[in-house]
Amino acid sequence: MFMFLFLVVALVVVVGAVTLSVVGGSEGGALPEVPPERLQDSLPPDRPVHRGDVETLRFPLALRGYRMADVDDALGRLGAELSERDARIADLEDALAGARAAQATSLRKPSEEDHR
C-alpha cells in the first residue's frame, strides 16, 4: 500500500512540474506561434535541374505528410524539364541520323552507271 501511495504522489509531482514548465515557464507566458514550414530550398528557377538538386530536395512535413502544393510544384517542374530534354534528345538524334545519311551518300563509291 505504501508503494502505491508513493507512486501516485510521484506521478502528481511529475505532472504538476511539466504543467508548470509548459504554462508558466517562459517570461512571455504562452509559447510563441511558429510559422508553418514552407519549402525553402526549391528547385533553381534560373538553370536546369541537376541530379544533385533533386537529391537535396526535402519537403517540410505537414499535418498528414507533405504539403501537396510543394510536391506538385516540384513534380511539375521535373516533368516539364524531362519533356524538354526528351524533345532535345529526339532533335539531336534526328540531326545525327540526317548527318550520317548525308555522309553515307557522299562517301558512296561511284558505280559504273554513274560514269555513263
Side-chain angles (χ1 to χ4, degrees), residues 74-86:
L75 289 176
R77 170 79 187 275
L78 290 172
E81 288 207 15
L82 286 173
S83 295
E84 288 176 15
R85 288 181 187 177
D86 289 345

Side-chain angles (χ1 to χ4, degrees), residues 15-49:
V15 169
V18 169
T19 303
L20 285 176
S21 68
V22 169
V23 173
S26 65
E27 295 177 9
L31 295 174
E33 289 293 322
V34 176
E37 287 187 62
R38 301 306 271 159
L39 185 62
Q40 297 295 324
D41 297 323
S42 62
L43 299 173
D46 57 342
R47 64 175 171 82
V49 176

Side-chain angles (χ1 to χ4, degrees), residues 7-99:
L7 290 175
V8 169
V9 170
L11 180 66
V12 168
V13 168
V14 168
V15 169
V18 169
T19 303
L20 285 176
S21 68
V22 169
V23 173
S26 65
E27 295 177 9
L31 295 174
E33 289 293 322
V34 176
E37 287 187 62
R38 301 306 271 159
L39 185 62
Q40 297 295 324
D41 297 323
S42 62
L43 299 173
D46 57 342
R47 64 175 171 82
V49 176
H50 299 290
R51 179 182 178 144
D53 297 328
V54 176
E55 288 174 352
T56 59
L57 183 64
R58 298 290 180 258
F59 297 104
L61 293 176
L63 182 61
R64 296 181 294 159
Y66 298 107
R67 294 187 185 278
M68 290 190 318
D70 292 340
V71 175
D72 289 344
D73 290 345
L75 289 176
R77 170 79 187 275
L78 290 172
E81 288 207 15
L82 286 173
S83 295
E84 288 176 15
R85 288 181 187 177
D86 289 345
R88 178 72 175 145
I89 288 170
D91 290 343
L92 291 173
E93 287 176 345
D94 289 343
L96 181 61

